[in-house]
Amino acid sequence: MIKVLIVEDNKYMREGWQTFIDYEKDLVVLDSFHSCETVLKSKYLAQSDVIIMDIGLPGISGIDGVREITRLYPNKNIIMATVHDDDQHVFEALKAGAVGYLMKKVTPDELVAAIRDAHAGGSPIT
């Protein structure tokens, strides 16, 4: 099983992603969070295989959250999910340690494929 965490401040987006991910036989969402501060305190952070992280979070930004998580767990597979499609955000996210970058408008199939790709060592980017 690929163990996933979701960090997204939009409750409906978080719940939708969890529904699509949990539907897959080889994926499970361990937990979901509304901020970097809450995921950094979670017991599930160490157990996760892939983290889907929004860039625009309240408090600690997603990019700063990626920096902190990769400092604590250098081999975590973090996929940034965002509405921003400019090169600067992509560059900053990847420089911080994210392995992939997805637009939030991805289909459920694209999201699931990106999780599997990141877990297998790929770099999913839309």
Side-chain angles (χ1 to χ4, degrees), residues 6 22 57 71 78:
I6 300 170
D22 280 341
L57 294 167
R71 184 185 68 76
I78 304 172

Side-chain angles (χ1 to χ4, degrees), residues 8-9 12 14 17 29 33 35 52-53 84 97 107 112 120-121 123:
E8 165 61 54
D9 60 327
Y12 303 107
R14 219 173 34 240
W17 287 346
V29 175
F33 307 90
S35 71
I52 302 169
M53 172 94 63
H84 303 289
T107 67
V112 167
S123 296

Side-chain angles (χ1 to χ4, degrees), residues 2-8 17 31 33 39-40 44-54 65-66 69-70 73 76-81 98-100 115 118-119:
I2 300 171
K3 296 170 279 206
V4 179
L5 295 180
I6 300 170
V7 186
E8 165 61 54
W17 287 346
D31 207 345
F33 307 90
V39 75
L40 286 167
Y44 295 115
L45 182 56
Q47 300 170 24
S48 65
D49 298 311
V50 176
I51 302 168
I52 302 169
M53 172 94 63
D54 183 15
V66 169
I69 291 169
T70 56
Y73 304 97
K76 285 293 173 200
N77 295 308
I78 304 172
I79 302 170
M80 301 307 291
V99 298
I115 292 167
H119 185 257

